[in-house]
Structure formats: structure tokens, C-alpha cells
Amino acid sequence: MNNDSEQTAALHSDDLRTIIKTSNRFYYVIQFIFAPLNRICRCSRRQKESQDADASPTQAAGEENRNWIVDPSGSFYYYWSAIVSLAVLYNLTLLIGRSGFLLLQDRLLILWLICDYLCDICYIVDTFIQSRKTYLDQGLVVRDLSKLRNHYIHSRAFLLDILSLLPTDFLYFIPKLYLLPSLRFNRLLRVYRFVEFSDKVETQTNHPNIFRLVSLLTTIVILIHWNACIYFIISRWIGYSSDSWVYNMTAPTGTMLSTQYIYCFFWSTLVLTNIGEVPPPESDIEILFVTTNFLLGVIVFATIVGNVGSIIASMNTVRADFRQKVDQIKQYMGFRKVGTELERRVITWFDYLWLQKQVANEDEVLDSLPQKLRVEIASHVHLAALKRVPIFAEAQPGLLVELVTRLKLQIFSPGDYVCKKGDIGKEMYIIKRGRLSVVSDDGTKVFVNLEEGSVFGEISILNIPGSKTGNRRTANIRSVGYSDLFCLTKQDLWEVLAEYPSARDTLIERGKAHLRKDNLLDEDAAQTAQLDQAAIPDKVARIQESIDKLETRIARIMGEYKANMNALGQRLQAIEQLTEEKHENALDPTGAITYAEDV
């Protein structure tokens, strides 16, 4: 026995020496892997220092003692969370797998040890990063390192991180616990970082429904994997092939690792999804385990049905809403006996709207955003198009920002007239997509084609005095195919110009210049209108003076009226008192005095 123990100890010491040598060999590999992280940290620090150098002296004095901090909404933290999530996923799947299937542990022992300690280094670095992660306090970003450390230390994440870093690997030196993967189960306490990263990806991805489906399938596969490993552990504890329920090691390929894992995974899938039959349990521990599996399987099945149904419903929400609108329009057209041709055009317009993924009413989509973000999105989408309008090319930035929020998208079908000659101009148009034609009155002759980026109708909404065309359209414009146009109404324009009087005068002068170039401006009428416009302030002042005089006279009359009413009220009160006294004296039984004669 002493010789056997000495040989076992010698073998263990040889294995440990091999592990230490291998770890030394991979020291440089670890440095190489984490070198990009160090470079990112240095670049972030240099960027921060350059920002501090460009800041004001007061800000620089207040920030000179700051060190490197991490913004949780930044790209660095996002990608680092992805790395930590991979480490957590490795521990979540392989620790239980190596504990259950000993062949998996023994065949790649050196590789597992290297991956284990790489994950530990990743955990340590993540703990350091968590201690420098900023947070919001009363709406302000806290950047002070002492406050960041205090906030992290007093959080639940700190306790989980410390527990996940406990060096339980030192228990490897106990012979009975030599290199047991289950000693590292405390690393699973950092699974909250994987959940946090999943939530962040779901928020930022452009395909959240697909990601939710993948996350659900991943969770189910991990659960089935854990259950399969536990089943194999219980089979080993009871004894392989001891009854019909446990794993049959006497099968021809029963000793192969692939066969062991595939059968256990298959058994776990059947039990948890309740879709197949498995050998009945025989012992108490087997019955208890299978019962727990059945109860867990009910929850898993309900989760699968509920989540998949919710995901599919979310994926079809937009289409269902769109189809509901189309059905309502169809019902209305059928009820009102709309013609077949017009009905076909309406349905074709809806088809184009769906194929192009267009939004008929952008205000409804952006309604949940604050005003500032709505303005920024509108500027990003519409500002370049608005600057193509000649009269707005050099307008004030504030005016353009106000106008971009008023632009509305309109979609015209093939053959639709955007405007006709002689119509009153109430809108201007900017072509976003498509092609329009300027045609004759009968529509047979095409004079010119308008392509993407063209603008028309801007002069008619300015109400320029002296225009020979007035505010009426001078051409027939027809859509060749499907055309997407940005529209700005006259009402919206003048509501904005009321707040920018100087810009209003500038725009009118530019509009006059365009009319002069085309000989469409009546100078005499424009001069007369300008004189009338100049006389308006005097007329308004005189009207205001007359109104003030009328208000004064009305106030005086109201005062006299109130005084007369008060005097009349007093006289009526005196008469009522005399009448009451006379009535009382007339009923006096002595009859000694006759007040009627006195009266």
C-alpha cells in the first residue's frame, strides 16, 4: 500500500510539473492574446488625455487626476462583454461536461487547463474593468474613481465576481480531488455577464426577433446538455448497465465518448420535451430524477411554446397591421361601390408601399422619441434634400432645422398628376425617388423629365406680390412610375417664417429674382404691394390707437352704468322700506296714528 501511494504521489507530482512547464510555455501566448486589450486601453487613455488638452483650463484642472474609465454604452465595453460572455459560456458548458464524461476530461487535459486559466485571466481583467465602469447619478455620469470603486464594491455584482474568482484550484493538490472540474463550479456565478450581454445585443441588433429565437434555442440546448451530463453522472454513481434505466456500457460502441454523449443528449431531449418514451426508472434515485425531469419538461415545453409564439407574433406584427389597413380600405371601397380600376390602383399602391418598406406616416413612428432626437433624425434624412432648393440653399441653419421637421413623404402611383396647370399652389415638392414628366394639357406631349433631386412649386408657396402667375401652377406634372416626394405645405412654411422675419424677407427677394429671370414679375404691382406692405405698420398703429380710444370710452360708459345701477338700487331699497313701514302701521289695532296722511 505504501508503494502504491508513493507511486500515485509521484505520478501526481510528475503531472503537476508537466502542467507548470506547459503553463510557462503558454505565458507568452497569453501575453499575445491580451496585447490588443492593452493597446485599446492605452489608446483610450491617450484619447482621453487629448480631449482633456482640448478642453477649457477649468475643465482640465478638474480632470487632470482622472485615470482610464469605461463607458458602459461604448463600443469597447460592448466587445469586451462579448469576450467575457464567451468565457462564461465555456465554463457553463464544459465544466459540467468534463465532470460527467471523464473521457472528455482525460483526453484533452492540457487544453482544458490552458482554457481554464485563460478564462480566469479574463475574469480578473473583467473585475478590474467593472471597478472603472461609469454610472448615472441624478442624470449625471459619475467619473470619479473612488466613487466608481465604492459603487462597484457595494453592488451585488462585486460579491458574485469575488466568489467566482476564489482559487478553488488549490484543492487540486488533495489526492482525492485531483484535477476535478467540479471544483471550478464557482466560475458559473459570473453568468450574469452573459445575460447582460444578451440584453445589450437584443437592444442594438437590427433583427431582435431572430436573436430572441437564437437565445431561446441556446438556453434550451444548454439545459438539455446539463441534464444529459447529470444523467450520465447518476448512471456512473449507480453503476453502468446495472439496470435498464442507466446508461448501457456493454453496448458495442458504449465505451466511445461520442456514443455516450449522443445517447445521453438524446435521452435528455426526450424527457424534457415529453415527446418520446424512455426506459422506466427502477430505484428511488432514478424515480426522483425522472420525476424532476418531467416537471422541468413541462416548464420547458410551456416556455418553448410561449416564447416561440410570442416571437412569431412579433415578427408578423408590422405585416398584420399593414394587412389590417388594407382590409379596411377594401371593405370601404366595396361598401361605397368604388370602380374596379380605382380599386386596383389603390391595392397596387399598397403593394408598392409594402415592397419598398415605406412608412406612410413617419410622425407615428417617431412619436415616441423626444423632440431633440426627432429633429436630429429629420435633419439626417431631409436636410440634404432641402438644401437642394435654390431659395433655401443659403438660409439660416435654424430655419432649415425647423423646416425639415415639417417635410412629409407622399407617394404617387404611375400616371398620377402631382399638380395641374391653373391649380392653386399650396405645396412645394422635392423628388426623393422616381421620375416625373412635365406634360401638355391633354397629357400627350412630354416637355421635360424631372429626376431624383429636382424641386418644383417653391415659388407658389411664398406669396410673392407682383407675380404674373399669382399662386397658381404653371405646368402639368405627372408621375411616370412610382414616385416618392417630400412635400412642404404653405401653411407650415409661413408658420416657421413668422419666427424668422429676416429670413422671410430674404426668401421673398430670392423668389423675386427667379421671377425676374423668367419675366414673370410685374414690377409696378410688386412696388405697389411693397408700399402697401410698408404702410401696414402705420395702419396697424392707427387701428390700435382707435381700439385704445374705444376701450377707454367703453370703460367710462361701463363705470357710469355701474354707478347708475348702484343709485337705482339704493332708491329701490328705500322705497321697499317705506312700503313695509306703511303696511305695518295699517295693521296697528290702536289706530291712533295714520301714517298715510303723513306720507
Side-chain angles (χ1 to χ4, degrees):
M1 293 295 292
N2 292 332
N3 293 333
D4 293 340
S5 62
E6 290 177 359
Q7 291 177 358
T8 304
L11 288 174
H12 288 177
S13 62
D14 292 340
D15 290 340
L16 289 175
R17 291 193 196 96
T18 305
I19 293 170
I20 293 172
K21 291 179 181 179
T22 308
S23 301
N24 291 332
R25 293 175 184 175
F26 283 93
Y27 172 75
Y28 296 103
V29 177
I30 295 172
Q31 281 189 334
F32 174 77
I33 292 174
F34 284 92
L37 175 63
N38 295 329
R39 286 197 295 270
I40 292 175
C41 296
R42 288 196 296 270
C43 292
S44 299
R45 190 179 294 110
R46 285 197 297 268
Q47 184 179 4
K48 181 67 180 174
E49 291 174 355
S50 64
Q51 291 176 354
D52 293 342
D54 295 336
S56 62
T58 305
Q59 293 175 339
E63 298 180 1
E64 61 183 358
N65 294 326
R66 282 184 191 163
N67 294 322
W68 180 69
I69 57 177
V70 178
D71 181 9
S73 62
S75 58
F76 167 75
Y77 186 77
Y78 179 81
Y79 291 116
W80 171 250
S81 298
I83 297 174
V84 177
S85 298
L86 290 176
V88 172
L89 192 62
Y90 164 81
N91 288 322
L92 188 61
T93 55
L94 287 176
L95 286 182
I96 184 65
R98 290 155 52 193
S99 299
F101 299 92
L102 301 181
L103 291 177
L104 180 65
Q105 168 74 358
D106 296 338
R107 289 181 179 179
L108 301 172
L109 178 61
I110 301 300
L111 176 63
W112 300 138
L113 292 176
I114 294 172
C115 293
D116 287 346
Y117 295 118
L118 283 178
C119 291
D120 289 349
I121 294 173
C122 182
Y123 278 18
I124 294 172
V125 176
D126 184 59
T127 303
F128 171 75
I129 290 176
Q130 292 294 318
S131 67
R132 293 173 175 262
K133 186 176 71 172
T134 61
Y135 66 95
L136 293 177
D137 184 15
Q138 297 181 355
L140 300 176
V141 179
V142 177
R143 299 177 178 274
D144 185 76
L145 282 180
S146 60
K147 292 184 178 179
L148 295 180
R149 293 194 194 99
N150 260 348
H151 181 264
Y152 175 59
I153 290 173
H154 291 88
S155 65
R156 186 179 63 176
F158 175 75
L159 177 61
L160 296 176
D161 292 347
I162 293 301
L163 292 176
S164 67
L165 285 174
L166 291 179
T168 54
D169 302 65
F170 286 111
L171 298 176
Y172 285 168
F173 293 100
I174 300 176
K176 291 184 178 180
L177 303 178
Y178 180 66
L179 296 179
L180 283 181
S182 56
L183 296 176
R184 294 176 52 85
F185 274 6
N186 62 316
R187 270 59 172 179
L188 302 180
L189 294 174
R190 205 173 285 244
V191 72
Y192 78 93
R193 291 284 284 120
F194 180 76
V195 177
E196 176 187 315
F197 175 70
S198 298
D199 294 339
K200 189 177 288 292
V201 173
E202 182 179 349
T203 304
Q204 297 188 7
T205 182
N206 293 327
H207 306 284
N209 292 316
I210 296 177
F211 179 78
R212 293 189 193 106
L213 185 60
V214 172
S215 299
L216 176 62
L217 294 177
T218 302
T219 304
I220 294 172
V221 168
I222 291 176
L223 184 61
I224 294 175
H225 166 76
W226 269 72
N227 193 57
C229 296
I230 294 174
Y231 166 73
F232 196 76
I233 292 173
I234 293 176
S235 297
R236 182 172 68 244
W237 181 64
I238 295 176
Y240 300 122
S241 307
S242 60
D243 56 40
S244 61
W245 183 84
V246 298
Y247 179 77
N248 184 13
M249 192 67 73
T250 61
T253 58
T255 57
M256 296 178 60
L257 176 62
S258 59
T259 302
Q260 293 174 1
Y261 181 77
I262 291 173
Y263 176 80
C264 294
F265 193 88
F266 171 74
W267 182 93
S268 177
T269 304
L270 292 181
V271 174
L272 290 181
T273 57
N274 296 316
I275 58 175
E277 294 184 359
V278 294
E282 298 182 8
S283 63
D284 293 341
I285 186 66
E286 294 174 0
I287 294 173
L288 180 62
F289 180 67
V290 172
T291 303
T292 305
N293 271 256
F294 282 153
L295 295 177
L296 188 61
V298 173
I299 300 175
V300 170
F301 185 77
T303 303
I304 293 174
V305 173
N307 282 273
V308 171
S310 176
I311 291 171
I312 294 175
S314 300
M315 294 174 66
N316 293 329
T317 299
V318 177
R319 186 175 183 85
D321 293 341
F322 182 81
R323 286 301 175 190
Q324 184 179 5
K325 294 179 181 179
V326 176
D327 293 340
Q328 290 175 353
I329 294 295
K330 287 180 179 178
Q331 291 176 2
Y332 175 81
M333 290 189 297
F335 178 74
R336 296 298 181 184
K337 304 289 192 265
V338 175
T340 306
E341 179 61 24
L342 182 57
E343 184 175 352
R344 184 192 61 80
R345 289 176 57 194
V346 170
I347 295 175
T348 306
W349 182 85
F350 272 111
D351 289 340
Y352 171 79
L353 199 67
W354 175 256
L355 291 175
Q356 296 297 321
K357 305 299 181 184
Q358 295 280 12
V359 179
N361 193 344
E362 295 182 353
D363 293 337
E364 293 181 359
V365 178
L366 303 177
D367 189 51
S368 59
L369 295 177
Q371 181 64 22
K372 186 176 183 302
L373 291 179
R374 293 180 65 181
V375 170
E376 290 184 6
I377 292 177
S379 300
H380 179 76
V381 175
H382 304 314
L383 188 58
L386 191 61
K387 286 184 177 180
R388 295 194 187 113
V389 183
I391 61 175
F392 296 137
E394 300 178 1
Q396 299 177 16
L399 174 65
L400 294 178
V401 170
E402 289 288 338
L403 290 177
V404 293
T405 59
R406 310 295 182 100
L407 287 178
K408 301 293 187 297
L409 179 65
Q410 292 187 5
I411 301 174
F412 292 89
S413 302
D416 287 349
Y417 278 88
V418 180
C419 62
K420 290 188 176 182
K421 187 175 181 179
D423 292 345
I424 296 176
K426 296 181 180 179
E427 305 93 4
M428 62 161 286
Y429 297 96
I430 305 171
I431 303 177
K432 175 189 176 184
R433 184 188 295 115
R435 187 173 63 180
L436 305 178
S437 297
V438 180
V439 299
S440 59
D441 294 339
D442 56 3
T444 57
K445 186 177 181 181
V446 177
F447 297 110
V448 66
N449 289 323
L450 303 177
E451 303 290 343
E452 179 179 346
S454 300
V455 180
F456 60 93
E458 69 275 16
I459 301 299
S460 62
I461 65 174
L462 287 175
N463 288 338
I464 299 176
S467 175
K468 294 181 180 180
T469 59
N471 293 327
R472 298 188 177 276
R473 304 294 189 187
T474 59
N476 302 301
I477 300 180
R478 185 177 62 193
S479 177
V480 177
Y482 285 99
S483 302
D484 301 344
L485 277 65
F486 289 130
C487 171
L488 178 64
T489 64
K490 181 187 296 186
Q491 180 181 354
D492 289 338
L493 175 64
W494 282 95
E495 285 179 359
V496 174
L497 290 179
E499 302 176 2
Y500 295 88
S502 59
R504 176 189 59 200
D505 298 337
T506 303
L507 291 178
I508 290 177
E509 289 301 323
R510 289 178 182 171
K512 288 181 178 179
H514 281 280
L515 291 176
R516 288 192 187 97
K517 188 185 349 181
D518 298 332
N519 196 22
L520 295 175
L521 181 65
D522 189 344
E523 297 291 348
D524 295 336
Q527 188 68 24
T528 302
Q530 186 174 0
L531 294 175
D532 293 341
Q533 186 73 18
I536 287 178
D538 295 335
K539 293 179 180 180
V540 172
R542 289 196 297 270
I543 292 173
Q544 186 65 40
E545 184 179 357
S546 300
I547 292 174
D548 292 340
K549 290 180 180 180
L550 287 174
E551 289 179 349
T552 303
R553 292 182 62 185
I554 291 173
R556 187 183 302 115
I557 292 172
M558 291 298 297
E560 293 176 356
Y561 172 75
K562 290 180 180 179
N564 292 332
M565 291 299 295
N566 290 333
L568 181 61
Q570 292 175 0
R571 290 178 183 178
L572 290 174
Q573 187 176 5
I575 292 173
E576 289 177 355
Q577 290 177 356
L578 291 174
T579 304
E580 290 177 358
E581 291 176 359
K582 179 180 178 181
H583 182 68
E584 291 175 357
N585 291 333
L587 297 177
D588 189 357
T590 60
I593 301 175
T594 305
Y595 288 95
E597 294 178 357
D598 295 338
V599 175

